[in-house]
Amino acid sequence: MKRLGYGDRTMVIIIYILLMMLAFTTFYPFWNAFIISFNEGKDTALGGVTFWPRQWTWENYETVFKDKRLIGAFSITVLRTVVGTITSIFATSIFAYGMTHKELIGRNYYMVICIITLYFGGGLIPTYLLIRGLGLDNSFWVYIIPSLISVWNMIIFRTFFNSLPDGLQESAKIDGCGSWGTYFRIVLPLSGPVVATLALFTAVYHWNEWFLPSIYVTNEDLIPIQTLLKQVLNTNIVTANTSSLDTASLAILGKMQSITSKSLSMAIMMVATLPIVCIYPFLQKYFVKGVLVGSLKE
Amino acid sequence: MAQLSIEGNTVKKKNSSSLFIRFLKQWEIQLMVLPGLILIFIFSYIPMYGVLTGFKDYNIIKGFVASPWVGFKHFELFFNSPDFSRVMRNTVLLSLLKFVIGFPAPILLALMLNEVKNMYFKRIVQTVSYLPYFLSWVIVAGFFTSMLATDNGSVNIALEKANLIDQPINFLSISNYFWTILITANVWKDIGFASIVYLAAIAGVDPHMYEAAEMDGASRLKQMFLITLPSIMPVVIIFMILAVGNLLNAGFEDILLLGVNPLLRDVSDVIDTYVYRVGIQNGRYAYATAVGLFKGIISVGMLVIANYLARRSGNSLW
């Protein structure tokens, strides 16, 4: 090992300090929300709960898991994530596989049609009017159908499929496999990494998406957890200023005795976050690769 | 493969029906792309056509077809409204701020991470910094409101303990702080993830260059600025050009969630949130569509400029 010069050592120390500060400021909000979710509500309101819970309690979580509306929202989110991810990955990859065929008539036109949508769009209001016109509002399918095909993912799939050796598919054809057979028996099984990456991103999208339901869905049984959380948080923020309170969220908060809105919303926040926090370290190596595949396609 | 193309050649000699026959012969793969094309047509192209709503006096009962044309009425209304200057100022300044601060931040992080030789430390910092990208804006806004709260928010507690303030500050209701908070939240959420590509580019730099520089007595700081940074410049430029095309997106979810307080409207209203509020909350569909279209047109202009820049730097986008 070479010894670093004086200037170099100072620089390295400064960099370590800056990175530690970054890691701390990134991690601390999680930690703070986490411990507040385990701290007794009234005690939290006294202030000063910063690093450790002062009055440990499960009460916040008990309240959360007893609330029918929250359990419903959680189940809808899980259902939406599972169904949305599987259908979207299938639809998009089949579409992409079709597009890899060089003999496909109209292939270049199809590609132009796809690319245009990356740069132009109708915007919020025409889309809103369309979805309502189709009668998709207040239906579970509004979560699934409009996001079935992602052009970005199609391009990434296509790039990956193109990199598979041609010989494999040709021999499958010679052995009597049609295009569908080749897709299911050869192409899909060989596409593990790209399917995993895109499935992760699609799943994260479905898990986190809250805006769609907030404008299309009024049926409370269909509201996912992020949208519900948004309503609860907004109630807390706005209480002081306006009277436009969401009565449904107040109903949840109204049950509180020793539980305050803050401690409860932290618990809901943890319930909405932890699934991602838990799977994420296992998937890190995939998405780092996946991001690179995605960025190289240009 | 070969067989197919021979077949294609022989049929080509016949006339127009050949295309149809070839099409029928490949019905299997046409069937693979058909559902995708239909969905793209419905969910992307119909709304593009629906943009014409901005030129009509849209009436939800009459529907799109029966509503009368009114030309540029809604555009004029928007340009003459008192909202115009406020919304435009916020949109342009916020998106510029996001670009100026949000774009170099991940590059800086990647450069710093590259100097870390302790693999454990590096991995911990990376893992922690990627994570916020995977959280929804609802959660991120929740963290920020909780940190900045007057009752037991950690920021206020820290400031009080440091004797910098006597009274807790209600950060999220004071318009002077809003842009800082918004930009910080954006950088906080995206910095780690955006640094991945730059880290990959840095990993591709030839190590011999560092060795040679070291022989010549260049310090680590000099190596960073004279070798690492120039080496990843092509990647930086591509991403910068992509960001230019995106320049009018001042934000939507972040502003909607962090700018809940109506007191902030003067500084938080951007085109996208304005379209949402006027269109969906107040039901003025035609007017909001016109405003959205106005933004779309400027964005396309930006994109053309971006592509022009891209061509000049040899990285055309299309």
Side-chain angles (χ1 to χ4, degrees):
Chain A
M1 268 309 260
K2 293 179 298 280
R3 278 187 64 88
L4 294 171
Y6 181 70
D8 285 348
R9 233 183 311 169
T10 337
M11 187 186 89
V12 171
I13 290 170
I14 291 173
I15 284 177
Y16 270 79
I17 292 172
L18 286 176
L19 288 177
M20 271 187 245
M21 279 164 62
L22 178 91
F24 175 77
T25 45
T26 311
F27 185 69
Y28 181 70
F30 280 98
W31 181 247
N32 190 252
F34 185 67
I35 58 155
I36 288 179
S37 72
F38 280 112
N39 201 49
E40 211 242 336
K42 271 188 182 151
D43 179 65
T44 306
L46 298 175
V49 182
T50 42
F51 287 100
W52 305 107
R54 203 163 39 199
Q55 298 249 340
W56 176 275
T57 177
W58 286 102
E59 231 179 349
N60 302 317
Y61 285 95
E62 275 168 19
T63 317
V64 167
F65 286 113
K66 264 186 216 147
D67 192 282
K68 283 212 181 75
R69 200 160 164 244
L70 265 156
I71 294 169
F74 193 81
S75 334
I76 279 289
T77 313
V78 172
L79 187 68
R80 170 186 179 176
T81 305
V82 171
V83 176
T85 305
I86 294 174
T87 51
S88 168
I89 291 295
F90 257 110
T92 305
S93 64
I94 290 172
F95 183 41
Y97 181 61
M99 294 287 281
T100 55
H101 290 78
K102 290 193 182 62
E103 72 271 21
L104 181 77
I105 296 167
R107 181 168 173 252
N108 291 335
Y109 297 107
Y110 298 163
M111 204 57 205
V112 170
I113 287 171
C114 291
I115 302 276
I116 286 175
T117 64
L118 294 178
Y119 297 103
F120 306 92
L124 181 65
I125 305 294
T127 311
Y128 175 76
L129 294 175
L130 170 77
I131 300 274
R132 296 216 12 207
L134 290 171
L136 278 173
D137 54 331
N138 262 329
S139 138
F140 179 72
W141 299 109
V142 75
Y143 301 145
I144 310 296
I145 297 172
S147 55
L148 264 181
I149 298 285
S150 150
V151 173
W152 275 119
N153 290 354
M154 184 276 278
I155 293 172
I156 295 172
F157 269 126
R158 210 182 63 131
T159 313
F160 185 86
F161 294 158
N162 273 331
S163 73
L164 293 173
D166 286 340
L168 271 172
Q169 295 178 47
E170 272 169 44
S171 50
K173 205 169 264 174
I174 290 165
D175 290 345
C177 245
S179 292
W180 290 91
T182 316
Y183 167 79
F184 278 110
R185 292 194 199 168
I186 312 279
V187 174
L188 203 57
L190 286 173
S191 307
V194 73
V195 168
T197 312
L198 295 183
L200 166 70
F201 280 100
T202 314
V204 168
Y205 162 79
H206 277 293
W207 185 270
N208 283 340
E209 210 283 326
W210 61 275
F211 183 67
L212 256 166
S214 80
I215 61 173
Y216 295 122
V217 177
T218 47
N219 179 354
E220 282 187 5
D221 297 338
L222 287 177
I223 296 280
I225 193 154
Q226 305 278 352
T227 314
L228 184 75
L229 175 61
K230 186 229 160 199
Q231 292 171 357
V232 174
L233 290 174
N234 273 11
T235 314
N236 295 345
I237 300 164
V238 182
T239 314
N241 303 299
T242 67
S243 56
S244 68
L245 296 175
D246 174 18
T247 45
S249 351
L250 269 188
I252 303 173
L253 302 179
K255 288 179 204 152
M256 63 198 176
Q257 278 121 38
S258 62
I259 299 161
T260 60
S261 59
K262 175 149 185 165
S263 59
L264 200 62
S265 40
M266 291 302 140
I268 305 174
M269 226 143 92
M270 284 300 120
V271 175
T273 317
L274 283 179
I276 285 183
V277 178
C278 291
I279 57 162
Y280 147 92
F282 303 103
L283 295 161
Q284 195 176 336
K285 63 173 185 207
Y286 283 111
F287 75 68
V288 171
K289 269 186 214 146
V291 170
L292 298 177
V293 172
S295 64
L296 286 176
K297 55 108 223 352
E298 289 285 356
Chain B
M1 254 337 265
Q3 234 175 354
L4 257 175
S5 65
I6 292 166
E7 234 171 73
N9 277 338
T10 47
V11 219
K12 212 178 257 172
K13 282 170 199 157
K14 294 181 208 161
N15 47 28
S16 60
S17 70
S18 64
L19 187 74
F20 183 64
I21 290 167
R22 269 199 299 153
F23 191 88
L24 284 185
K25 276 197 175 152
Q26 50 170 247
W27 66 272
E28 256 194 352
I29 47 175
Q30 288 288 350
L31 200 65
M32 287 182 143
V33 296
L34 186 70
L37 290 171
I38 291 174
L39 282 167
I40 289 175
F41 176 77
I42 295 175
F43 291 106
S44 298
Y45 282 85
I46 294 182
M48 279 187 216
Y49 176 69
V51 147
L52 294 177
T53 310
F55 300 96
K56 290 195 158 202
D57 250 342
Y58 185 79
N59 181 323
I60 197 137
I61 299 158
K62 281 186 192 163
F64 177 78
V65 183
S67 299
W69 294 96
V70 291
F72 287 91
K73 180 182 142 193
H74 298 299
F75 291 87
E76 280 166 23
L77 258 173
F78 176 53
F79 296 145
N80 294 326
S81 80
D83 300 328
F84 178 75
S85 59
R86 182 172 49 109
V87 168
M88 282 313 286
R89 183 201 63 189
N90 290 339
T91 307
V92 171
L93 287 181
L94 262 176
S95 53
L96 272 177
L97 265 178
K98 270 190 190 173
F99 178 72
V100 170
I101 295 166
F103 184 75
I107 302 174
L108 200 68
L109 174 63
L111 287 176
M112 290 203 297
L113 277 171
N114 185 45
E115 297 298 321
V116 172
K117 301 299 172 215
N118 182 331
M119 286 320 279
Y120 287 110
F121 181 72
K122 191 172 173 178
R123 184 160 300 169
I124 289 171
V125 173
Q126 280 183 286
T127 306
V128 171
S129 69
Y130 295 163
L131 185 52
Y133 180 82
F134 290 91
L135 304 181
S136 76
W137 264 112
V138 178
I139 305 276
V140 173
F143 282 155
F144 269 74
T145 39
S146 156
M147 289 283 110
L148 297 170
T150 43
D151 58 322
N152 198 24
S154 297
V155 173
N156 271 317
I157 292 174
L159 288 176
E160 271 176 356
K161 285 213 170 124
N163 279 327
L164 289 170
I165 52 170
D166 306 323
Q167 284 287 317
I169 302 173
N170 192 358
F171 288 99
L172 279 166
S173 65
I174 300 170
S175 45
N176 284 347
Y177 295 129
F178 183 68
W179 287 9
T180 316
I181 294 169
L182 194 76
I183 305 286
T184 311
N186 271 282
V187 171
W188 187 85
K189 190 173 192 293
D190 292 336
I191 185 171
F193 197 76
S195 71
I196 292 179
V197 180
Y198 300 116
L199 275 169
I202 290 174
V205 179
D206 185 356
H208 289 117
M209 291 209 278
Y210 294 108
E211 281 164 30
E214 221 162 73
M215 295 289 225
D216 292 343
S219 69
R220 294 275 285 272
L221 198 65
K222 273 202 167 151
Q223 289 177 33
M224 190 196 269
F225 282 104
L226 297 176
I227 299 176
T228 317
L229 199 56
S231 304
I232 63 168
M233 250 334 178
V235 180
V236 171
I237 289 173
I238 292 180
F239 277 82
M240 197 188 274
I241 290 163
L242 286 171
V244 170
N246 219 4
L247 208 53
L248 220 55
N249 286 325
F252 183 63
E253 289 187 50
D254 48 349
I255 295 179
L256 224 50
L257 292 164
L258 283 167
V260 176
N261 196 322
L263 294 172
L264 295 173
R265 207 152 276 168
D266 262 350
V267 289
S268 70
D269 243 355
V270 296
I271 295 181
D272 287 328
T273 54
Y274 183 67
V275 168
Y276 167 67
R277 210 179 60 237
V278 174
I280 288 178
Q281 295 190 325
N282 298 348
R284 295 171 65 190
Y285 299 121
Y287 178 72
T289 308
V291 177
L293 180 59
F294 168 71
K295 184 202 158 186
I297 290 165
I298 300 184
S299 291
V300 170
M302 298 264 212
L303 225 111
V304 173
I305 295 171
N307 191 52
Y308 171 75
L309 293 175
R311 281 227 181 103
R312 295 203 52 178
S313 74
N315 301 304
S316 180
L317 298 179
W318 65 72

